[in-house]
Each structure stands twice: as structure tokens, then as C-alpha cells.
Amino acid sequence: MSREIPPTECCVTIAGTGSYVPEKVLSNADLERMVDTSDEWITSRTGIKERRLAADGQATSDLATAAAKRAMEDAGVSAEELDLIIVATISPDAFFPATACYVQKNIGATNAMCFDISAACSGFLYAIQVARHFINTGNRRTALVIGAEKLSSMVDWEDRNTCVLFGDGAGAAVLRRDDSGDAGRKVISASLGSDGRMTDILHVPGGGSAMPITHDNADQKLNTIRMQGREVYKNAVNAMRRAAEDALQRGGLTAADVDMLIPHQANKRIIEAIGERMGIPAEKTFINLDKYGNTSAAAVAIALDEANKTGAIKDGDNVVLVAFGAGLTWASTLVKW
Ligand code: ACO
């Protein structure tokens, strides 16, 4: 479990949220024509009905930029006011420069310091916590935190074990310092952790420094996502439950106080198992994976924006965000909305 030292308290608020998903829809029926699968298998095992795919020429930074603009509009924040941009992604535009720098260029945020975070599906919540620390120390005041992925660029479209699961999209939040102390949407507490002993159960083996890409390993598709689904599943339920309970405890609450649980959108059965074990009913659990599949670092960010814009979360609600991903990594954030 994490050893988070509570940051010295100022008030870090989520001033606005935004999200963007590409127009192109890939349905389960479309996948039935591509690999040996069925709508029935995908729906019963995962809950996913369709996912979005980025257009040719649309990079992760383009998805991130669209989500960022919507979050800035929602927060009423100008590009000049941003002094920190963090993009959480495992599908960056390139090894370098950081995707956050492309976003900076696209929105004209000339005063911002920019970098990326790689924590897979937990990345958005890792980025929120990093931004929170920057704001709490007084080092930065207004941060744009984005989870964005173009996972379609790293999926083996002939592997039915993985290609049915993933999609493209982006979600963003503007975090601001509020010294009045009475602002809503306050980030209360967090719990984060990792277990590097299980790097091999979910990874892209090729294309990095350990296995530079060659014609040979590209032919073997070693630059695509490999996953031991059952191992990931087993670890996901326990790690997310522990992280969520730890974040709640640090905020002085219990699962009974939760008004909305917004979990990583990988698998409906995983989400239901967490809800059951924590005693949180289905109506207090936000699910949109049927529309988008697993968008890794973007998933919680998109779900938070949809929950916000549709009124699923209301002023004063105790909102728990929780995620789990490759690494392994896990994270949970408690927000008083
Ligand atoms: N269509 C039809 N059959 C399939 C498909 C498919 N798309 N994919 C696999 N199968 C078959 C398998 O080949 C296997 O057949 P076999 O028994 O003849 O060998 C059978 O279905 C059962 O496969 P399992 O792996 O046992 O199925 P399971 O019930 O575990 O579901 C799944 C698989 C959905 C991947 C599940 O394990 C899961 O959700 N795991 C967690 C994924 C996750 O949470 N990822 C989060 C992190 S993602 C990130 O960090 C980027």
C-alpha cells in the first residue's frame, strides 16, 4: 500500500472537466467480421458494445487537445493561466518530445511547464496527484491534467484476446489552487501504488530500448499489446478495492459515505465485483465502457467528465475515482464535489 504523506493543506479544486472521443465507431458486429469472436462473448465477458477509433493522421495529442479545450472552457480558464500541463498516456505521439508539449503548442499555453506520465490506466489519477503536490507546495497554481490514448495504434487487430477490449479517447481536468477554503470539487485524499513484479502480464514487449524494433520482431507484432487477461483480472479487483478504501480512510470516510464510484472502465465484471466487495450499489457506480471500451489513461477522465456533465455527480457528493493498470499500478482519488 502507498506511503503517501498528506500534502500541506491548501485547497486544490477540479475547476472544470472535458472529454473527446473520435467519431469513428467500431462495434462488436464490426469485430465479428475481423476476428473469430461474437457480440455475445464480448458483451458477457466485458460489457463492451462499441469503441471509438481515431482517424488516420489523428494523434494522441489531437485527442488530448480537444478534451483540454473543453475542460478549459468548463473551468473558464485561459491558456495563459495554465502553468502546468501533464498528459498521462501509454500511446504518446512519439518517444519524445512529451505529448504534453504538443498540447501546449496546440492551445498556446506559453506559461506552462509540460511533461508526460506513464502509469497506464492509472495515469490520469497519478497525474492528478502530481499536479496536486505542485499546487500544494505553491510551485504552480493552475494545472491541466489529461488522460489520452490512441490505443488503436498499438493493438494487434488479428488478436481476439486483446483487440475487442481497447479504444481511443481523451479526458481532461483543470486543477486550481483555491485559498478561500470553501470551494467545491475539492480533492480530499488519494492512495497510489505499484507492483513492478508483474510487468510481464500486461505490456508491449517490443519497440523500446529493451527490444528496438526490427523487421523481424515487427513481423511477430511484438510492438503490440500483450495481456494475460485472467492474471490482470485477479489483481485488478483486489488492488482497486484496497486503493479506494485507503483513499476513503485518509479522507476520514468509509464506503458507506460514497455517493458515486467512478472506476477504470476495463471490464463490467471487474467493476461489479469491486462494488459488491465494497458494498457500493450499482446505481452509485458510473459505467460508460459499453460505448468506449478500455481507453487506459483516458477512461476515468472521460467517465468523470460524463458524470459531471450529465449531473450524475452533484455538489457535495463524495466521489471516488479508482483505477488499475499495467505496471502494475493502481490509484484512487477522493473528491468532495
Ligand atoms: N472472442 C471469443 N473468444 C475469445 C475472445 C474473443 N474476443 N478472446 C478470448 N477468447 C477465448 C479464449 O481463447 C479462451 O478460449 P479457450 O478456453 O478455448 O482457451 C476463452 O475465450 C476464455 O478466455 P479467458 O481469458 O479465460 O476469458 P476471461 O473470462 O478471463 O475474459 C478478459 C477475458 C475479458 C480479457 C478478462 O480476463 C479481463 O477483462 N481481464 C482484465 C483486463 C483489464 O482489466 N485490463 C486493465 C488494464 S488495461 C491497461 O493497463 C492498458
Side-chain angles (χ1 to χ4, degrees):
M1 198 38 71
S2 70
R3 295 187 201 156
E4 291 282 303
I5 299 162
T8 46
E9 267 321 296
C10 76
C11 192
V12 178
T13 65
I14 298 182
T17 64
S19 62
Y20 170 82
V21 290
E23 275 173 33
K24 186 175 177 189
V25 174
L26 185 74
S27 68
N28 290 350
D30 295 327
L31 282 161
E32 285 177 354
R33 291 186 281 276
M34 295 164 61
V35 290
D36 180 14
T37 191
S38 65
D39 174 51
E40 193 281 320
W41 192 96
I42 301 170
T43 306
S44 63
R45 300 294 176 118
T46 71
I48 301 166
K49 299 299 280 185
E50 56 188 40
R51 64 290 290 147
R52 301 298 182 97
L53 299 188
D56 289 342
Q58 209 174 19
T60 295
S61 64
D62 297 315
L63 313 183
T65 299
K69 286 179 176 169
R70 290 174 182 175
M72 289 159 62
E73 192 186 342
D74 190 41
V77 160
S78 69
E80 292 74 33
E81 286 174 86
L82 297 173
D83 48 22
L84 174 63
I85 300 175
I86 308 176
V87 173
T89 186
I90 52 166
S91 49
D93 285 26
F95 280 139
F96 69 88
T99 300
C101 291
Y102 291 106
V103 174
Q104 175 183 37
K105 178 175 69 174
N106 292 346
I107 62 176
T110 45
N111 299 317
M113 156 198 175
C114 306
F115 61 93
D116 290 357
I117 280 183
S118 173
C121 308
S122 310
F124 180 67
L125 298 185
Y126 268 56
I128 284 184
Q129 186 67 346
V130 171
R132 186 175 171 228
H133 282 297
F134 267 102
I135 293 171
N136 266 320
T137 59
N139 191 289
R140 306 280 146 166
R141 195 167 185 91
T142 308
L144 174 62
V145 175
I146 307 169
E149 302 286 7
K150 184 179 173 182
L151 295 178
S152 60
S153 66
M154 53 210 298
V155 162
D156 175 358
W157 289 103
E158 291 177 343
D159 175 15
R160 70 176 184 173
N161 290 297
T162 52
C163 77
V164 303
L165 304 173
F166 299 105
D168 302 335
V174 174
L175 268 58
R176 290 198 100 168
R177 185 183 176 101
D178 180 279
D179 293 314
S180 69
D182 57 2
R185 302 171 174 203
K186 182 182 176 186
V187 182
I188 304 287
S189 56
S191 176
L192 300 94
S194 312
D195 186 347
R197 290 170 301 180
M198 282 179 274
T199 47
D200 290 347
I201 67 172
L202 178 53
H203 64 148
V204 174
S209 61
M211 190 191 292
I213 205 71
T214 61
H215 287 295
D216 205 30
N217 58 35
D219 286 345
Q220 296 174 56
K221 298 185 178 173
L222 293 176
N223 55 336
T224 60
I225 297 172
R226 303 296 164 104
M227 182 171 75
Q228 295 173 33
R230 262 189 206 161
E231 284 307 305
V232 176
Y233 190 110
K234 274 192 287 187
N235 286 286
V237 176
N238 289 333
M240 281 199 276
R241 178 195 172 174
R242 282 202 313 268
E245 288 177 345
D246 189 43
L248 280 163
Q249 193 189 358
R250 287 166 192 274
L253 301 180
T254 70
D257 300 309
V258 174
D259 296 299
M260 187 57 71
L261 178 71
I262 303 183
H264 177 48
Q265 305 287 315
N267 185 312
K268 194 159 180 263
R269 288 186 302 159
I270 292 177
I271 293 173
E272 286 169 351
I274 296 165
E276 272 164 31
R277 290 184 197 187
M278 291 184 70
I280 298 174
E283 62 271 19
K284 291 186 175 180
T285 306
F286 194 85
I287 297 185
N288 65 0
L289 59 76
D290 50 317
K291 296 185 289 183
Y292 309 129
N294 179 353
T295 57
S296 192
V300 170
I302 296 171
L304 174 64
D305 181 48
E306 288 198 352
N308 179 24
K309 302 281 170 64
T310 60
I313 49 177
K314 296 175 286 303
D315 289 354
D317 277 357
N318 294 316
V319 179
V320 172
L321 312 172
V322 65
F324 173 88
L328 300 175
T329 59
W330 53 86
S332 181
T333 308
L334 170 63
V335 183
K336 184 84 177 170
W337 203 253

